[in-house]
Amino acid sequence: MKKVTTIDLCRMKVNGEKIVMVTAYDAATASIVDTAGVDAVLVGDSLGNVIQGRANTLGVTMDEMVYHTQIVSRGVKRAFLTADMPFMSYQGSIEDALRNAGRFLKESGAQAVKLEVNEQSLDTIYAIRKAGIPVMAHIGLCPQSIHAMGGYRVQGRMEGESARLLKLAKEIEERGAFSLVLESIPRKLAREITDSLRIPTIGIGAGTDCDGQVLVINDLLGISEEPLPKFVKKYAELRKTIHKAVSDYADEVKAGTFPAPDQSYD
Ligand code: KIV
């Protein structure tokens, strides 16, 4: 099966075809989303919240991200696979960034890396790109800067801030990123950024005018605990479904009705 490439994703923007991206953290989920027709899979450092039960993404390590990307890559046959660079794996120096970005391609089967970007990391994008590693940048609400931002808040509402994000987006494209995630910014600003770039934008809480959309798989499936951000739409209620299945199983074991003859050997 032919893998989706950076060129395919850029061509989708030119053709006006929306890009569908979701996160995945394990092989089983990856193989389901891959066959459900998504174009791109992200092994997000959101695994800190949704898999590890942490309050934020700051504690996620390179080794954990490489491990989860390895197991996701076994389930992904078609979709484009991107790995998130965790906090402090690229902010310290360009050498760190290159070494860690390289690990994802050498050890885990990722086709690209994602970085939460500000004006200080533009040279890092350029250096990783020059090493032949495609870079997906991420601006707006950047969860790795949670303490600097003072909480999970919509970004770019003030005039100065929206102008800053538009300028930053253009610089990111100039430095060679192949796509840009826009998180929690007003629709109008996301549209302006999308219209002013050749590379595709992928929105999460950024309205419908982005070139694609991404959601965290546990949010989309209704596994995550409430409250969820306003931008999440639940396409299933798996938390309730799993809860009911496991409590039915527990009741039957307690009652001695499982296993029945059908599940037993003579
Ligand atoms: O970590 C993550 O899952 C992300 C997406 C929400 C874009 O960065």
Side-chain angles (χ1 to χ4, degrees), residues 41-115:
V41 170
L42 171 69
V43 185
D45 65 350
S46 51
L47 78 86
N49 307 97
V50 299
I51 302 296
Q52 299 175 332
R54 296 176 188 269
N56 56 50
T57 60
L58 301 184
V60 177
T61 67
M62 264 308 294
D63 285 346
E64 289 164 353
M65 287 303 303
V66 167
Y67 168 73
H68 280 274
T69 309
Q70 282 168 346
I71 61 178
V72 166
S73 77
R74 293 184 199 127
V76 174
K77 304 282 179 269
R78 177 187 167 273
F80 188 83
L81 181 60
T82 302
D84 226 350
M85 295 196 65
F87 182 55
M88 291 318 289
S89 67
Y90 58 97
Q91 289 94 336
S93 69
I94 288 185
E95 289 70 32
D96 281 355
L98 281 174
R99 189 177 55 255
N100 287 322
R103 279 193 68 189
F104 281 117
L105 271 72
K106 281 174 86 82
E107 297 176 35
S108 77
Q111 292 161 276
V113 295
K114 178 167 85 58
L115 276 68

Side-chain angles (χ1 to χ4, degrees), residues 23 25 42 44-46 84 114 116 138 181 183 204 214 216:
T23 67
Y25 314 100
L42 171 69
D45 65 350
S46 51
D84 226 350
K114 178 167 85 58
E116 295 182 11
H138 178 155
V181 169
E183 179 163 354
I204 174 160
V214 57
V216 167

Side-chain angles (χ1 to χ4, degrees), residues 177-264:
F178 79 94
S179 66
L180 176 61
V181 169
L182 301 174
E183 179 163 354
S184 295
I185 63 170
R187 273 189 288 191
K188 187 167 160 292
L189 174 59
R191 188 185 320 132
E192 216 179 332
I193 293 176
T194 301
D195 289 348
S196 67
L197 299 184
R198 288 182 308 277
I199 59 171
T201 59
I202 302 183
I204 174 160
T208 191
D209 296 313
C210 299
D211 299 305
Q213 298 291 327
V214 57
L215 279 177
V216 167
I217 190 73
N218 286 39
D219 295 348
L220 179 165
L221 294 177
I223 299 174
S224 302
E225 273 185 272
E226 311 272 352
L228 295 170
K230 174 183 161 73
F231 58 71
V232 171
K233 178 170 175 186
K234 289 199 265 179
Y235 287 84
E237 289 285 356
L238 289 199
R239 194 176 182 86
K240 288 182 191 148
T241 306
I242 294 169
H243 186 278
K244 179 168 180 338
V246 176
S247 67
D248 287 353
Y249 163 67
D251 289 348
E252 291 192 7
V253 171
K254 298 274 187 203
T257 55
F258 176 84
D262 274 357
Q263 291 99 32
S264 307

